[in-house]
Amino acid sequence: MIRLFLSDIDGCLSVPYQPWDLARLAELDALIRDPLAPRFGLCTGRPYSYAEAVAQALDVRGPVLFESGAGWFDLTTATTRWHPRLDSTKREALAEVRAFYEEALVPAHDGLSIDYGKQAQAGFVAPTEATIEATLPEVEAFVAEHCPGFHVFHTEVSVDIVPPGLTKADAMRWVAEEEGLPLDALAFIGDTGGDIGALQTVGHGFAPANATPEVRESGVRVLDGAVLEGTLEAFRWSMSYNASTSTHIAG
């Protein structure tokens, strides 16, 4: 049985810098309210404020994991907590990365903006994929020298430096432990490189049609639909899977 279905936001519920598909979002909202559906939650690299807004829009009753799972927001109690592995040493290293952004990257690349809303990651966004490609080697070299063991994840519009022990894969394990669930009872849908570890950690990993090649080739179930259509497809599959599993057990 799939007890908890977690979804990324960018690339799975919406496309960055584009309007939301409100009609399809209403379909998802109706599905997750079905009493026979798995609990629905979020696991996104976005900061707290964005994740909370999406959670409120969908009335998410499952865990809302932001900054790749370093933070956990619960809409039902309006409370937030941080992963126990987020310590002062990691925060100091992230501050060093942000200073590098401010001193070396922002002055040299038009349109690059630091994501000041994040506490457990050091991230920036850019309006074009070309800017991300131009800055990525610089970032990787800095992290390798100054923050060994930290992860460099990127999408076509963003770069995030994630401390060890605070990846989305770690978030899946944290949620499973806190919720008292086996990892096999979790499902996750993601579309970029930073999602692969989580997709391979849970019992059921899904990738929308728009996922990057490395995600599509990681052994997950690749869907016909892109973005929100893919998430709707995955969630419906999960509901059907649970129904067939229940029937088999009952028989």
Side-chain angles (χ1 to χ4, degrees):
M1 293 284 288
I2 298 174
R3 302 291 185 183
L4 178 61
F5 184 104
L6 295 163
S7 176
D8 192 9
I9 295 179
D10 291 336
C12 294
L13 297 181
S14 65
V15 178
Y17 309 139
Q18 294 186 23
W20 284 67
D21 186 338
L22 298 181
R24 291 290 181 267
L25 200 66
E27 287 185 37
L28 179 60
D29 183 58
L31 283 178
I32 66 178
R33 293 172 187 269
D34 189 314
L36 299 179
R39 291 173 66 212
F40 184 86
L42 302 173
C43 183
T44 175
R46 290 277 196 160
Y48 161 77
S49 56
Y50 193 88
E52 181 192 349
V54 176
Q56 287 182 291
L58 285 170
D59 192 28
V60 174
R61 295 289 140 172
V64 178
L65 304 166
F66 57 93
E67 295 193 43
S68 300
W72 183 329
F73 171 66
D74 186 337
L75 183 64
T76 64
T77 59
T79 57
T80 302
R81 51 181 165 149
W82 293 98
H83 197 292
R85 290 181 180 168
L86 180 60
D87 56 28
S88 59
T89 300
K90 291 184 175 69
R91 290 181 184 273
E92 289 168 4
L94 292 170
E96 186 177 359
V97 176
R98 293 188 194 99
F100 163 70
Y101 291 167
E102 292 177 340
E103 296 167 7
L105 295 189
V106 173
H109 300 278
D110 292 338
L112 188 149
S113 300
I114 298 174
D115 191 341
Y116 289 107
K118 294 187 175 182
Q119 298 185 45
Q121 299 179 3
F124 64 83
V125 296
T128 67
E129 188 171 359
T131 302
I132 298 299
E133 292 175 350
T135 56
L136 197 56
E138 298 177 70
V139 174
E140 290 175 334
F142 181 88
V143 170
E145 180 179 355
H146 298 276
C147 308
F150 280 53
H151 305 276
V152 181
F153 295 129
H154 73 281
T155 70
E156 70 275 14
V157 296
S158 65
V159 172
D160 283 305
I161 309 307
V162 179
L166 294 174
T167 66
K168 288 185 179 181
D170 297 301
M172 297 298 125
R173 290 186 281 267
W174 187 29
V175 166
E177 181 179 354
E178 292 291 313
E179 295 283 309
L181 296 172
L183 285 165
D184 283 351
L186 270 61
F188 175 61
I189 182 168
D191 67 308
T192 60
D195 300 319
I196 292 176
L199 290 167
Q200 296 177 334
T201 297
V202 299
H204 302 272
F206 300 94
N210 54 288
T212 62
E214 60 179 335
V215 173
R216 294 168 60 87
E217 296 166 5
S218 65
V220 302
R221 180 182 294 272
V222 180
L223 306 160
D224 293 327
V227 195
L228 186 47
E229 288 284 0
T231 299
L232 285 165
E233 183 183 340
F235 198 73
R236 290 191 178 103
W237 185 94
S238 299
M239 293 176 70
S240 296
Y241 174 82
N242 282 355
S244 64
T245 302
S246 298
T247 301
H248 176 72
I249 294 174

